[in-house]
Amino acid sequence: MLVKNILLLILIHGHYCFVVEELGDQSLYENELKRKISETPTHALREIFPKTSLELFKKAYFVESTKFSGSTYLLSKESLFFYPSFGQAMCGLVGGYLVEVNTVQELEFIKHFLYEKASRFLYVMAGGTDEDHEGLWINGHSLTKVDSLWNSEQPDDHQGYQNCQTFNKNFNWNLDDFECVNFNSRPVGFLCEVRE
């Protein structure tokens, strides 16, 4: 039999579950026919795919920074951003998350990296949002409060729909608030942080 397993993705109460089901029962006991991985989809995919495939994925879709204070930063190569959960999932595949800026030194390092590598983008998405709690900015991965490292007079929630944290090229790559969906196909990238 050419196809031995079926891989199913199931959404249950907001959580994803991967199920691998053996089509034939000759080689496995009944209790081994199903294997459930009840983690986020990105962690499940990282378990299923070999590390070499993930390294190739990383090189194909990201530009990598040098290390800074225990982190490496990965900038998307293309304007593939559609929504923060998409960026968070892509970052999760390579073992990271949308960047969370915690110090002035980290901000300056990232800005230098963006000056060198992000010329094709107008905005680069970071991990902070106030989408579900207007005015209270929370980092999407760590669920901690976003540090006050914004560009002058930001965040301003322009026209009432800017709920996602970005680096803005027009503000010398300082932090700004921006809409969470990439409207009008503007050149928007995203930046992952991968801790050692």
Side-chain angles (χ1 to χ4, degrees), residues 36-56:
K36 295 181 181 180
I37 306 169
S38 89
E39 299 176 358
T40 62
T42 53
H43 289 131
L45 287 172
R46 290 181 73 215
E47 182 178 309
I48 291 168
F49 292 112
K51 188 174 181 180
T52 53
S53 295
L54 291 174
E55 285 300 315
L56 291 173

Side-chain angles (χ1 to χ4, degrees), residues 74-90:
L74 303 174
L75 174 66
S76 59
K77 287 184 177 179
E78 301 296 329
S79 191
L80 297 171
F81 187 85
F82 301 107
Y83 199 74
S85 57
F86 174 80
Q88 203 68 274
M90 293 286 281

